[in-house]
Each structure stands twice: as C-alpha cells, then as structure tokens.
Amino acid sequence: MPVNKMLIEAYLKKLKMPQAAKTYESLAREAADNNLDYEEYLLCVLEQEVHQRENNRIQRGIRQASFPVIKTLESIDFLAIPSLNKPKVLKLMKGEYIRRKENVLLIGNSGVGKTHIAIALGYEACRQGMKVKFYTAAGLINELLAAQQEYRLNKLEKQWLAPHLVILDELGYVPFSKVGAELLFQFCSSRYERGSLIITTNLEFPKWTEVLGDEQMTAALLDRLTHNAHILNINGESYRFKQALSKQPDVI
C-alpha cells in the first residue's frame, strides 16, 4: 500500500470520517475524469461525509424514538379517511408546531388512523433532526410507576424534557389508577410550553374523567394540553375494518 494512501486512511480514521475513507478514491477518479480542480474534489469528499453523518443521525433518532412500526405521510390514505383535515396534517408535517412547543390532539373512534398519523408526524420530526419519543399511555404510566417505586422519579423527571416531541398513544382505552393518573398529569404538566405532545385518544374531552378519575385534575390537564393546541377530530368507519373487508374473498 502506498505511503500516501496509508497516511490518508490513518488521518481519516483519526478524524472519524468513515464515509470519506470509503469514497475518497472513487471520487478522485471521478474528479480526474471530469477535470475537477482540488477544491471541487475536496468539496465532493466533504459533502459525502456530511450527508452520511446526517443520514446516520436521522436513522439513530428514528430508532431512539421507539416507534412500534414506521408510518409516513406517503402511506396515509386521505381518501379512506374523509373526516381527516388533509391541509392541516400537511401543515403539521412541516414541524412548526414543535418549534412553537404546541400540542396535537388526535381524537376519534378506534381504527380511523390516529396512531398512523401520530407516527407519521413523529417520523417526519425525526427527519428534521428533532428528538422524538413514542409511548403508549399505559406503557408510560407503568414506567413512571416503576420509577416511583424504585425512587428514580426525580432522576427520570430530568429526561422528560429531552425530546422535542413526545407521542402518547391510546389514552382512554384503559382507566388509570389514582397514582398513575397523577403521574401522567405531572409528566404532561412538566412539558407545558416547554415541549410538544401528540396524544391520540378515543374519548371526547368530557369523558376524560372516566380514565383519570378526578374532575379537577382532568380539567387542569385539559387546560394545559389544549392551550394553543391543534385538535384533529377523526371519526367514521374503521379504516382497519374496511381494509380487512377488502381482503376477504368474494362469497358466491
């Protein structure tokens, strides 16, 4: 191996530029074939490294978000969900609500695509370089209860504001214990005007007391969540049910 090649690869390794190490030779050949000058060649090498680092950062953010599945804007069938406000969803995809620390509340009966939309919004936020975390409401409460029992709650509280966006899925499907409801209130209140929340729920606001158990706490929570929030009411026939029917063989 020529000395220059050894030194280049050693320096790139020391500088932690793995993509440049992979591509500098092929880019050098392309530069020679296209009569590029030294600065243009160097620019190509650096662009490759920056693009790969950006892609790696996005993919790492998507993994850390803990989405149960990946859903994107392109996979939303707006025609199948006529009650969904498409212009509003497209506007939310731009992520300005996160920069303004506003919330999104997705309300509707089961199967109409609330979780799909929430994940698509979270995925797009990851692509824009934002930190996102996905929880089911029940899963978050179980995590908070465990932390409280193990005297880790104070330490965990410092992590609540780390994500730019937290998605709480399926609020309302299972009633919470008194302690669980109080911990959820504490979590959401800590993010008020300091970080965005997306919440999916099958319950209209007057029925939230059924799962939280306390009218005053429910009112206080809704007051914080709905302040400057984007509320999407999605009701209609179950999207999943219609998909299942479409896959059934015709009966003669």
Side-chain angles (χ1 to χ4, degrees), residues 206-229:
K207 294 185 177 181
W208 280 37
T209 308
E210 295 176 9
V211 293
L212 294 171
D214 183 279
E215 290 187 6
Q216 287 187 332
M217 184 172 63
T218 301
L221 178 60
L222 285 172
D223 183 62
R224 288 165 172 78
L225 292 178
T226 58
H227 182 224
N228 293 326

Side-chain angles (χ1 to χ4, degrees), residues 69-81 84 86 89-90 93 112-124 127 239-240 243:
V69 292
I70 298 298
K71 300 289 185 180
T72 66
L73 170 64
E74 292 74 21
S75 64
I76 299 175
D77 187 353
F78 288 97
L79 293 176
I81 317 172
L84 179 60
K86 181 177 179 179
V89 172
L90 296 179
M93 288 291 173
V112 293
K114 301 185 299 296
T115 300
H116 188 147
I117 297 162
I119 293 174
L121 288 169
Y123 180 80
E124 189 58 33
R127 291 184 59 193
Y239 176 53
R240 288 196 296 266
Q243 278 191 322

Side-chain angles (χ1 to χ4, degrees), residues 4-252:
N4 285 350
K5 179 178 172 65
M6 292 177 62
L7 286 173
I8 289 171
E9 294 185 357
Y11 288 146
L12 290 174
K13 183 176 181 180
K14 190 168 186 178
L15 291 169
K16 298 180 180 179
M17 299 176 67
Q19 186 64 19
K22 291 179 183 177
T23 60
Y24 81 93
E25 287 183 295
S26 61
L27 290 175
R29 290 191 292 270
E30 289 181 21
D33 293 341
N34 293 285
N35 296 316
L36 301 182
D37 60 31
Y38 297 124
E39 288 183 350
E40 290 173 312
Y41 165 65
L42 178 59
L43 177 61
C44 289
V45 172
L46 294 176
E47 282 180 341
Q48 288 281 324
E49 182 66 34
V50 169
H51 290 164
Q52 187 59 49
R53 288 189 182 193
E54 181 66 14
N55 185 62
N56 290 344
R57 184 173 63 82
I58 290 171
Q59 294 305 315
R60 184 166 58 251
I62 291 170
R63 290 193 301 272
Q64 291 173 345
S66 303
F67 299 122
V69 292
I70 298 298
K71 300 289 185 180
T72 66
L73 170 64
E74 292 74 21
S75 64
I76 299 175
D77 187 353
F78 288 97
L79 293 176
I81 317 172
S83 62
L84 179 60
N85 187 331
K86 181 177 179 179
K88 193 163 191 175
V89 172
L90 296 179
K91 186 176 181 180
L92 289 171
M93 288 291 173
K94 297 178 182 179
E96 287 300 319
Y97 73 99
I98 301 175
R99 297 178 185 92
R100 294 193 296 262
K101 298 178 175 59
E102 297 168 349
N103 300 327
V104 177
L105 304 178
L106 298 165
I107 306 168
N109 51 289
S110 180
V112 293
K114 301 185 299 296
T115 300
H116 188 147
I117 297 162
I119 293 174
L121 288 169
Y123 180 80
E124 189 58 33
C126 288
R127 291 184 59 193
Q128 295 174 26
M130 301 180 192
K131 294 180 181 178
V132 180
K133 188 65 177 176
F134 179 97
Y135 299 96
T136 62
L140 173 63
I141 287 179
N142 287 337
E143 186 174 320
L144 295 175
L145 287 169
Q148 185 185 56
Q149 292 170 0
E150 296 167 8
Y151 303 100
R152 294 186 293 108
L153 198 57
N154 288 337
K155 183 178 180 181
L156 195 61
E157 284 179 358
K158 298 176 183 179
Q159 302 173 20
W160 292 354
L161 295 177
H164 299 98
L165 171 66
V166 170
I167 300 173
L168 289 181
D169 193 33
E170 298 183 339
L171 190 150
Y173 289 85
V174 180
F176 306 133
S177 67
K178 183 177 183 298
V179 176
E182 290 170 351
L183 289 172
L184 180 65
F185 175 82
Q186 187 178 348
F187 177 90
C188 293
S189 295
S190 73
R191 292 187 59 83
Y192 176 57
E193 295 190 325
R194 290 187 284 178
S196 293
L197 285 165
I198 293 178
I199 295 179
T200 74
T201 179
N202 63 330
L203 294 179
E204 296 292 340
F205 294 143
K207 294 185 177 181
W208 280 37
T209 308
E210 295 176 9
V211 293
L212 294 171
D214 183 279
E215 290 187 6
Q216 287 187 332
M217 184 172 63
T218 301
L221 178 60
L222 285 172
D223 183 62
R224 288 165 172 78
L225 292 178
T226 58
H227 182 224
N228 293 326
H230 304 269
I231 301 172
L232 292 171
N233 282 289
I234 313 168
N235 284 299
E237 186 179 352
S238 171
Y239 176 53
R240 288 196 296 266
F241 184 64
K242 284 192 289 187
Q243 278 191 322
L245 284 180
S246 68
K247 296 176 182 178
Q248 297 301 311
D250 294 334
V251 178
I252 299 176

